[in-house]
Amino acid sequence: MASNSRQSSEHSFGLGHSQSQSQMAHQTPQHHHQNNHHDTQITESSAQVVSKIPKILPHERVFPIQIGCELFKLSGASISSDAPSYFSQYFENQIRQAQENGEDIGTAIRTLYIDRDPVTFKDISLHLQGYHVQPRDATHFVRLFADAQFYSLPKLMSQLYEESVFTSVGHREFQIPRELFSDPGNTPNFFSLGFAIFFSTPEDLFPGLDREGLLRPPSIMPPSVPLRSAETFAELLHMLRGYQVNIRSETHRAELLRDARYFNFKGLEQRLIPHNISYNQSRNRDEIVLRLRDILKSGITIAMEPTNVDPLAGWVTYGRPYVDDKPYELVLEIGEEATKLHFGPGGTTTVRAEFIGNARTRIGKMFEVIATKLNLPPTTQPLGLLMAKGGASSQPATPGNTPLAEDLIRVIMDPEASIVLDGKSWVLPPPGPEEEDVLLGGQGQDSPMSMGFSAMGLQQPQVQSRKRRRLLLDDSYSAGGGGGSISPRGEEWVVRNGLWRLRIQGVKNGKASVECVLVPVKLDAMSSEQVRNAQRGFLGG
């Protein structure tokens, strides 16, 4: 294993010195040991530094290590400064065998030969001498890391673990300070999980590694993500540093969201989703508008607002996880023509909402979470039936399977709602005779109308005389520009897009003591397919 030092360049590395042995002996002859030509000395000024290094190997002795074609000579103090390591164990065994055999340690120590990159080892030797080694790029980092793992240098491994993350995204090099990942909302992520594998034990990194007869460990590629946009990733890093990024378009937002989800930056994702937070002076509270598909169960809360009429009243609130420090009253946006309103015999007082497709499933899951927040079971199906069908998780999530609603969810028409029907403004009409019966409790004892609009924070429609109703209808027609304000009994509306509040209220003879109802804030609806067809466009313009 020994190499001829005359055929290779020599590097003598001791305690921060790069002097030859004869020079050091000349400077401090009073401490010179005559054991062999590998002996070296330390100066008085270095004594305190050496005293802090564990004496695993004799500090004053020099140990030869051949890395590739270059010979390095490291003092025992340098090797002991980051130990136990491959080097310290190798030379400890030689010293032990020499002592057991009664041999001279100076002549018994053999050169350790490792077929690795000497350029990388120069940096490692500087580390052993006490210098801080800063990785220059991803390739340099990986080489330092691989050799530090292979040589089992615990201090260098710990230092590299705290260094910036070096990676390549879209064939562009990035150096990312680890402090950017300190936010709980953005860690663990793609990089921290990847480097957790990197900084595993050498046995996990190099399976089957046998150092006794090994010349070189397996190679490690620098971390890279070639199929992602470097420009988009740079903008995500800019946001991680606390800056705002100008969202140029919905396509740009979608690109940022896609890569934030890919890299598992959950906090950034919540900052990027479309939302609007504002203060509603009329209701004296903060509101947040979010799309149904962006709702997470961890952000849902209930704000109870009991009244004399309804002690169980409240509203569904929401705070974006990792971002918002308090919940806001939720205004839920449901679009894509996924909502259909069914008007019963009571007209605007007996309205039910039906959801289709993914919206139905999402609403069902949301109602399950709301039920849990209210200390209710998430589903009303019998346990035996659930177990026979494979458990609750195997059943489709629908509002009707929760204790808070039927599949057709009750809707309370708010007189303050802004409604556009068939492209024209639509005003909630005064109640007709049938609606009067419901409002007065004559026909709908289980209707929320019979509990009083005031219990829900809504303005109660006044029961007027027939003459007064006719005058109001005439006024609403003129104010709405011909918009239909006749009570839509028996009609069905398809809601192109809608904003809804979710109201918790007490209910009689229901599945539970409370129910969740929808209160419209703003609706864009169609009453017939003809209207929908009229609004269609032709492909290409």
Side-chain angles (χ1 to χ4, degrees):
M1 297 286 291
S3 175
N4 190 339
S5 61
R6 289 177 294 182
Q7 295 179 352
S8 60
S9 59
E10 293 188 8
H11 298 266
S12 178
F13 295 101
L15 306 172
H17 301 277
S18 59
Q19 299 165 313
S20 67
Q21 181 180 349
S22 59
Q23 289 175 317
M24 297 181 69
H26 178 73
Q27 291 174 358
T28 56
Q30 66 274 22
H31 300 288
H32 182 61
H33 297 277
Q34 302 294 334
N35 292 336
N36 57 74
H37 69 282
H38 288 300
D39 288 345
T40 188
Q41 304 299 320
I42 62 174
T43 62
E44 291 292 342
S45 61
S46 303
Q48 293 182 351
V49 178
V50 175
S51 65
K52 299 179 182 179
I53 301 174
K55 196 167 184 179
I56 297 176
L57 295 176
H59 288 183
E60 72 282 356
R61 190 171 296 278
V62 169
F63 297 89
I65 302 174
Q66 179 92 20
I67 304 295
C69 63
E70 295 190 29
L71 179 63
F72 295 82
K73 294 181 180 180
L74 293 174
S75 70
S78 292
I79 296 176
S80 300
S81 67
D82 195 353
S85 66
Y86 184 24
F87 310 124
S88 65
Q89 292 175 359
Y90 177 84
F91 291 114
E92 272 187 304
N93 290 336
Q94 290 194 1
I95 293 175
R96 186 181 304 109
Q97 291 175 3
Q99 291 174 343
E100 291 174 355
N101 298 332
E103 299 176 356
D104 179 68
I105 295 178
T107 58
I109 292 179
R110 300 186 305 272
T111 300
L112 171 62
Y113 175 75
I114 303 174
D115 190 13
R116 296 294 285 172
D117 177 30
V119 176
T120 302
F121 192 78
K122 287 180 182 178
D123 291 325
I124 294 178
S125 64
L126 288 174
H127 159 75
L128 294 174
Q129 290 177 287
Y131 295 100
H132 179 80
V133 177
Q134 179 78 36
R136 295 182 291 273
D137 51 37
T139 301
H140 186 222
F141 177 88
V142 166
R143 290 181 178 179
L144 278 175
F145 160 76
D147 282 4
Q149 279 275 23
F150 179 61
Y151 301 141
S152 297
L153 298 170
K155 291 184 179 179
L156 182 56
M157 285 298 304
S158 178
Q159 174 192 321
L160 291 175
Y161 185 80
E162 299 298 329
E163 289 288 347
S164 299
V165 174
F166 292 86
T167 189
S168 171
V169 178
H171 306 290
R172 176 177 163 186
E173 296 288 337
F174 288 91
Q175 180 178 349
I176 312 168
R178 287 185 176 271
E179 291 76 14
L180 291 185
F181 298 149
S182 61
D183 184 357
N186 295 312
T187 188
N189 54 56
F190 178 90
F191 303 100
S192 63
L193 292 174
F195 274 81
I197 298 175
F198 252 55
F199 286 92
S200 58
T201 63
E203 289 75 16
D204 295 333
L205 185 67
F206 303 128
L209 183 63
D210 181 12
R211 286 181 172 79
E212 292 300 325
L214 183 68
L215 294 181
R216 60 175 64 88
S219 61
I220 303 176
M221 293 292 294
S224 64
V225 191
L227 299 182
R228 293 286 157 173
S229 168
E231 290 73 19
T232 301
F233 184 70
E235 290 181 309
L236 293 178
L237 290 183
H238 197 59
M239 293 188 66
L240 282 173
R241 292 185 175 96
Y243 295 97
Q244 295 294 327
V245 171
N246 181 35
I247 307 297
R248 297 184 293 273
S249 64
E250 287 306 308
T251 300
H252 182 217
R253 184 192 300 275
E255 292 174 353
L256 291 170
L257 275 170
R258 180 193 60 192
D259 280 11
R261 288 165 180 154
Y262 179 86
F263 294 116
N264 205 37
F265 295 147
K266 294 181 179 180
L268 279 189
E269 177 187 353
Q270 291 302 304
R271 289 171 57 187
L272 285 167
I273 59 174
H275 68 280
N276 179 264
I277 298 176
S278 61
Y279 181 75
N280 188 332
Q281 296 190 37
S282 299
R283 296 175 59 81
N284 193 28
R285 64 193 68 189
D286 293 304
E287 298 175 333
I288 183 170
V289 181
L290 284 170
R291 291 173 179 167
L292 176 60
R293 63 171 177 262
D294 294 325
I295 297 295
L296 298 178
K297 63 180 182 180
S298 58
I300 298 174
T301 52
I302 307 297
M304 303 306 297
E305 294 184 2
T307 64
N308 293 332
V309 178
D310 185 1
L312 300 177
W315 297 92
V316 175
T317 56
Y318 190 86
R320 291 171 298 163
Y322 314 114
V323 176
D324 296 328
D325 55 1
K326 67 175 183 178
Y328 307 94
E329 184 171 283
L330 177 62
V331 178
L332 189 63
E333 180 176 329
I334 306 174
E336 301 176 346
E337 300 184 14
T339 311
K340 180 181 287 187
L341 296 183
H342 300 267
F343 292 85
T348 57
T349 61
T350 54
V351 187
R352 297 278 180 167
E354 176 187 4
F355 296 96
I356 61 173
N358 291 332
R360 183 170 183 258
T361 302
R362 291 188 175 113
I363 286 289
K365 291 182 178 179
M366 187 175 181
F367 273 43
E368 289 178 357
V369 176
I370 295 173
T372 303
K373 299 289 184 179
L374 293 169
N375 296 320
L376 298 173
T379 179
T380 56
Q381 291 187 303
L383 180 60
L385 180 61
L386 284 176
M387 297 303 294
K389 294 182 178 181
S393 61
S394 64
Q395 302 304 307
T398 62
N401 286 340
T402 71
L404 295 177
E406 302 293 342
D407 278 337
L408 298 182
I409 303 173
R410 193 188 305 275
V411 176
I412 306 300
M413 299 298 289
D414 184 357
E416 299 295 331
S418 173
I419 300 176
V420 174
L421 178 64
D422 299 337
K424 300 178 181 178
S425 178
W426 189 90
V427 180
L428 185 68
E434 293 82 358
E435 288 93 334
E436 289 177 11
D437 290 334
V438 175
L439 286 172
L440 296 173
Q443 293 183 355
Q445 293 295 337
D446 62 340
S447 171
M449 295 297 188
S450 63
M451 301 178 64
F453 272 74
S454 59
M456 291 170 280
L458 305 178
Q459 180 183 354
Q460 179 176 350
Q462 299 297 318
V463 179
Q464 308 283 355
S465 66
R466 294 182 184 273
K467 180 178 180 181
R468 176 63 176 163
R469 286 201 306 273
R470 185 168 58 254
L471 293 174
L472 288 173
L473 278 173
D474 293 340
D475 292 342
S476 64
Y477 264 105
S478 59
S485 296
I486 300 176
S487 182
R489 289 186 293 273
E491 290 187 7
E492 292 182 352
W493 292 359
V494 174
V495 180
R496 180 184 289 107
N497 205 354
L499 298 177
W500 308 85
R501 293 189 180 95
L502 284 80
R503 173 74 180 177
I504 305 299
Q505 63 181 25
V507 63
K508 297 180 180 179
N509 302 323
K511 295 181 182 180
S513 59
V514 295
E515 67 175 348
C516 185
V517 301
L518 297 175
V519 181
V521 177
K522 184 176 183 178
L523 301 179
D524 181 7
M526 301 171 290
S527 62
S528 67
E529 185 179 0
Q530 182 184 26
V531 176
R532 186 179 188 276
N533 291 338
Q535 296 175 350
R536 284 179 180 269
F538 294 101
L539 297 178

